[in-house]
Amino acid sequence: MGNGKKFQNNKNLTIASVLILIVLLAVAGFYLSPKGEIPSTTVTNPTVSQWNCGELQVAINSVIEASGYYRNDSLKPAVTDYKFEILDITVTNEGTTTDDLSGGRIILLSGNSTYSPQGFSHIERIVLPDNSITAYDCRELNLSSVSRFVLGAGESSRGCKIFQVLKDSDPISFSVYELDKLKCTIPV
């Protein structure tokens, strides 16, 4: 009878060991498997630009060229001979008081022309110049939009701005205006 108990204990130990091994492999597989990562996008200027516009700090996190974007699963292509420049921007109020940035405006200098941003609310995907489509989840930054835009002291806001520019031009600078007064110009 002693051998039967010993055999049963060994069998239970083997089953427990196999279950632990299965759990460890499942956990390792979960952490080591791809997570549906977004394919990398072509960034026209990988250098982050950070500038102070008075107490407003502006960081241009990336500039991406696209031939179209998807909003609400609907493609919005650039018009003939144009492309989109999508700027991922973070603005921070470095001041000690709340700053009402409503009524301000921004422009992008590209080639010899200036461009105003297009309103879009939210995009889900973009079409790159090679016609590949990649996920690109971004909300419109409220700076220079029809929405009221207020930042408390130390507060930040991040989002995108989309400019439709001529295909053969490259972004040169990004300007922020406070009403009709130039606040700063940022090289792109």
Side-chain angles (χ1 to χ4, degrees):
M1 190 127 186
N3 280 344
K5 214 176 208 187
K6 188 175 182 180
F7 177 74
Q8 183 65 33
N9 284 343
N10 285 341
K11 184 178 175 186
N12 288 340
L13 183 59
T14 302
I15 291 171
S17 297
V18 168
L19 288 174
I20 290 172
L21 182 61
I22 290 171
V23 168
L24 288 174
L25 289 173
V27 169
F30 175 77
Y31 284 105
L32 296 176
S33 68
K35 304 289 185 281
E37 295 169 350
I38 297 170
S40 64
T41 55
T42 304
V43 177
T44 57
N45 182 0
T47 306
V48 174
S49 297
Q50 277 191 297
W51 296 85
N52 287 327
C53 296
E55 294 180 336
L56 181 69
Q57 181 168 341
V58 179
I60 299 176
N61 305 308
S62 67
V63 179
I64 299 174
E65 186 177 304
S67 61
Y69 63 89
Y70 284 84
R71 184 181 75 196
N72 300 323
D73 283 326
S74 179
L75 175 62
K76 307 295 180 195
V79 297
T80 304
D81 296 328
Y82 282 80
K83 63 183 177 179
F84 292 111
E85 294 289 349
I86 303 171
L87 278 64
D88 176 346
I89 303 167
T90 302
V91 291
T92 304
N93 178 0
E94 296 287 337
T96 56
T97 60
T98 298
D99 195 0
D100 187 344
L101 300 164
S102 305
R105 61 189 175 94
I106 56 177
I107 60 166
L108 180 71
L109 175 63
S110 185
N112 293 324
S113 301
T114 59
Y115 301 91
S116 296
Q118 294 192 319
F120 64 94
S121 181
H122 177 253
I123 58 176
E124 302 96 23
R125 297 182 309 277
I126 58 174
V127 181
L128 298 173
D130 66 1
N131 289 324
S132 63
I133 299 172
T134 187
Y136 190 81
D137 185 32
C138 198
R139 296 218 171 269
E140 183 175 7
L141 179 66
N142 282 341
L143 181 65
S144 183
S145 71
V146 294
S147 302
R148 186 158 187 241
F149 187 50
V150 177
L151 285 177
E155 278 188 326
S156 291
S157 183
R158 183 173 181 172
C160 293
K161 285 297 186 185
I162 296 176
F163 300 86
Q164 189 166 222
V165 303
L166 285 169
K167 271 187 184 175
D168 62 352
S169 66
D170 290 321
I172 297 169
S173 64
F174 174 79
S175 296
V176 179
Y177 290 84
E178 187 173 49
L179 298 175
D180 286 332
K181 183 178 102 182
L182 178 64
K183 198 166 180 133
C184 67
T185 297
I186 302 163
V188 177

